Amino acid sequence: MTVTTVLGHAEAVALADEQLASWLKQEGYEEPPPAHRAPAGPNAEPASTAERLRLGERVLLDRDQGPLRGDPGTGRYDRRRLRTPAPHGTQQLTLTVATAADGPTWVRLEAETHSTGSGVRTPCRVPVPELVRSLLPLLDATDGPAAVRSAPRVITADEVDALIDELCDPERRLPTVVASVPVNLPLDSWVEDVVAPLCQQLPGLATTYVLDPGARTGFNVALEYHTVYGGAVRTYLPEVDPASRQDSARHPVLARGRIEEDLRRAAGLLAREPRRLAADQPLPPPLAAVPVLRVPPPQLRQSAEQSAEQTAEEAAEKAAEGAVEPAVERTAPYQGAELAALVHEEQQDRAEQQARADELERVRHTLRLERREHRERGQGREGRDGRDIREGRLRSGARALTGRHCVVPGGGPAAGPHFAAQPTDRRGTPETFSELIARLGEFPLVTFTGDQKVALALDDLQCVGAGWARLAWEGLTALQEYAEAAVRGAAGGDFKQWCERTPEGCHRFPPRKAVRGESRTVFSHTKWKRERMLPVPECVDSSRRAFMGAHLRIGGGRTAPRLHYLDDCSGSGRIYVGYIGLHLTNTRTN
């Protein structure tokens, strides 16, 4: 977790210490004594101090404070590292507060589990510490312009503009998770029964919102390429570009079906991207300037922190301490050359740790720059491709383009000007499946996941199937236009209904050739159903297969080719075509 607070440095540290002591007491451990605070005035340089306290069996608390690297004036930090026993290792919690001159106070909390090496696999997800849930409201934590809360907040229609401004704010570091509500369910029950438990792993890692019915419409109209509706939940990563269709693919959608199928698993999937971003993102400058943790010399470390064995000297030291806890470890009376050697060893060790930490930060910055450059190149291609296609359509003269809009049910354009919704370019309609397959990239919301060889084999039957490729292209064009409206919640029904009531200016596909699903006989026949379990991305189904009963008739006669697809516009925002080829097996297959 990385957030800012309106509190001053000393106040934030005192509040963190208070909550940490309260949690330790609740867990049955001794409360630590108050931390030593060096006097600090406007012109005083922060003093560097470090101590280790033993608060119980295998319970260690390290505390250090001092100036920030490169800012020896008023920049300062305070850090707490707590280690407690876990069933198969050690749980570690590190809380850092850092403030640079004339800057906000930054708070970072890291939770991790270290295995003992016994062969037992450490859990891959560390639970959100209770300390996070208690600290967030007390700190008035923020992420750029947004308040960071421990529970989702409902957004009304009047607050949509502010939410969009927040999504596009360049200072935002945390992901923003926006949940929608199904149209047939009450808001309160959906938030309480579904959204709240779904977001249990997100406090401190993301800001979370729920769109009420009035807000949903305004939000999706404003963000036509980044919509969320129908009970789906979308994660908006930093640097949203609302004008870019390609940018929408960066922001994952968790479909309602996956949420209701297994709420606990869906909560883990939803937390995956915020956790990755929290680990990979570069630190803000004040936190990056915090030096590595200062602890007592290695020979004084309690062996319970490193292994289960204890030396005789450590056991004697523990016995001498008796029941007086917490105890502050103090430096043994080393003298002369021995002391100098120990100091030199510790300095070398800290220098190596600092070099590794700085290298990690450089890698984070490099990855961030590379990802940004990759997006910018992609958006540049998107703009050039769009211009080329529009210019090609104008030159082709195949159809008079008058700047009309493809009007969808409910009013308004489906995708801007008429030509912006049409994928046909200067080359016209493909005459072969070889050309069709090569041009599938012209449909940004339709993804082909099937076997190209099966589709290409249809070219060998041109004597029978003249026009099959043209009809398949018309079907793909209509699917693309339908998807552009559906992701905005403006399609007015499924694809069959779209074909029956095609909006003015859009491509019309014959409704009788659009079939919603297979018969009950096909669905209940194991072999026939298996043929229609076609490839999809893991984000749609973890098995990477989904039943595609919906299909388009792209030919007739004995061979009767078909195009099978899955409409996932309410989930991932795409349509997946899993098969183009001869008719799959059923009761009437020749």
Side-chain angles (χ1 to χ4, degrees), residues 299 302 310-320:
Q299 82 285 355
Q302 186 65 296
Q310 294 184 336
T311 63
E313 290 82 2
E314 288 171 326
E317 178 187 349
K318 185 176 179 181

Side-chain angles (χ1 to χ4, degrees), residues 107-128:
V107 180
R108 181 172 173 86
L109 189 146
E110 302 169 79
E112 51 195 314
T113 300
H114 298 289
S115 174
T116 57
S118 60
V120 179
R121 185 172 182 267
T122 303
C124 60
R125 289 193 185 96
V126 178
V128 175

Side-chain angles (χ1 to χ4, degrees), residues 109-158:
L109 189 146
E110 302 169 79
E112 51 195 314
T113 300
H114 298 289
S115 174
T116 57
S118 60
V120 179
R121 185 172 182 267
T122 303
C124 60
R125 289 193 185 96
V126 178
V128 175
E130 286 303 315
L131 187 61
V132 170
R133 305 181 197 277
S134 63
L135 273 178
L136 283 176
L138 298 175
L139 289 171
D140 290 329
T142 57
D143 171 47
V148 182
R149 300 176 176 85
S150 55
R153 185 170 78 87
V154 175
I155 295 294
T156 63
D158 294 337

Side-chain angles (χ1 to χ4, degrees), residues 72-92:
T74 56
R76 63 185 306 172
Y77 77 92
D78 281 76
R79 175 169 38 205
R80 309 290 184 257
R81 185 179 73 181
L82 177 66
R83 291 181 174 180
T84 56
H88 302 291
T90 301
Q91 291 179 343
Q92 179 172 294

Side-chain angles (χ1 to χ4, degrees), residues 361-427:
E361 195 62 18
R362 282 192 292 271
V363 169
R364 285 170 172 161
H365 278 282
T366 300
L367 288 174
R368 184 181 186 182
L369 288 174
E370 289 178 350
R371 287 169 180 156
R372 182 176 294 170
E373 290 172 358
H374 177 74
R375 288 201 307 272
E376 291 174 352
R377 286 196 300 269
Q379 290 170 7
R381 286 195 301 271
E382 179 184 25
R384 290 192 300 272
D385 291 346
R387 289 193 298 272
D388 291 345
I389 291 173
R390 290 194 293 270
E391 292 169 0
R393 292 180 192 135
L394 290 169
R395 285 195 298 267
S396 67
R399 189 172 183 180
L401 301 181
T402 59
R404 293 174 296 160
H405 286 69
C406 176
V407 181
V408 299
H418 174 76
F419 56 72
Q422 308 301 326
T424 308
D425 71 357
R426 68 172 69 88
R427 292 171 290 180

Side-chain angles (χ1 to χ4, degrees), residues 194-446:
V194 178
V195 179
L198 184 67
C199 297
Q200 276 294 305
Q201 300 183 30
L202 296 181
L205 297 175
T207 54
T208 52
Y209 300 100
V210 183
L211 300 174
D212 76 3
R216 180 188 64 239
T217 302
F219 183 86
N220 288 330
V221 168
L223 296 178
E224 60 175 329
Y225 300 134
H226 300 72
T227 56
V228 59
Y229 60 92
V233 177
R234 190 159 197 167
T235 301
Y236 295 89
L237 301 180
E239 302 180 20
V240 171
D241 184 354
S244 170
R245 186 197 306 273
Q246 186 178 35
D247 179 71
S248 66
R250 285 200 307 123
H251 311 285
V253 177
L254 187 60
R256 175 187 175 183
R258 301 201 72 184
I259 295 171
E260 294 182 318
E261 179 182 0
D262 189 335
L263 187 58
R264 183 175 178 181
R265 183 172 182 271
L269 291 173
L270 186 62
R272 182 183 298 171
E273 197 64 14
R275 285 175 179 265
R276 180 199 64 78
L277 190 65
D280 292 351
Q281 205 172 30
L283 295 175
L287 287 169
V290 174
V292 293
L293 181 62
R294 298 179 63 242
V295 295
Q299 82 285 355
L300 295 178
R301 296 177 184 170
Q302 186 65 296
S303 61
E305 180 189 356
Q306 302 294 330
S307 66
E309 299 179 359
Q310 294 184 336
T311 63
E313 290 82 2
E314 288 171 326
E317 178 187 349
K318 185 176 179 181
E321 290 172 358
V324 180
E325 293 184 343
V328 180
E329 294 192 0
R330 304 189 184 280
T331 305
Y334 290 96
Q335 297 179 356
E338 184 180 11
L339 178 59
L342 289 171
V343 171
H344 180 69
E345 181 182 346
E346 182 186 8
Q347 290 176 343
Q348 282 189 322
D349 183 57
R350 289 186 59 196
E352 291 176 1
Q353 292 181 37
Q354 190 66 63
R356 289 195 294 268
D358 292 342
E359 178 62 24
L360 175 60
E361 195 62 18
R362 282 192 292 271
V363 169
R364 285 170 172 161
H365 278 282
T366 300
L367 288 174
R368 184 181 186 182
L369 288 174
E370 289 178 350
R371 287 169 180 156
R372 182 176 294 170
E373 290 172 358
H374 177 74
R375 288 201 307 272
E376 291 174 352
R377 286 196 300 269
Q379 290 170 7
R381 286 195 301 271
E382 179 184 25
R384 290 192 300 272
D385 291 346
R387 289 193 298 272
D388 291 345
I389 291 173
R390 290 194 293 270
E391 292 169 0
R393 292 180 192 135
L394 290 169
R395 285 195 298 267
S396 67
R399 189 172 183 180
L401 301 181
T402 59
R404 293 174 296 160
H405 286 69
C406 176
V407 181
V408 299
H418 174 76
F419 56 72
Q422 308 301 326
T424 308
D425 71 357
R426 68 172 69 88
R427 292 171 290 180
T429 302
E431 297 293 332
T432 67
F433 284 94
S434 298
E435 184 182 356
L436 183 148
I437 293 296
R439 293 173 57 187
L440 285 173
E442 296 177 26
F443 302 102
L445 296 185
V446 180

Side-chain angles (χ1 to χ4, degrees), residues 526-546:
T526 303
K527 181 180 178 181
W528 297 350
K529 180 180 179 180
R530 188 184 303 118
E531 288 183 2
R532 293 158 175 82
M533 294 295 294
L534 298 166
V536 292
E538 189 176 5
C539 65
V540 177
D541 194 285
S542 57
S543 68
R544 296 181 180 272
R545 293 273 168 175

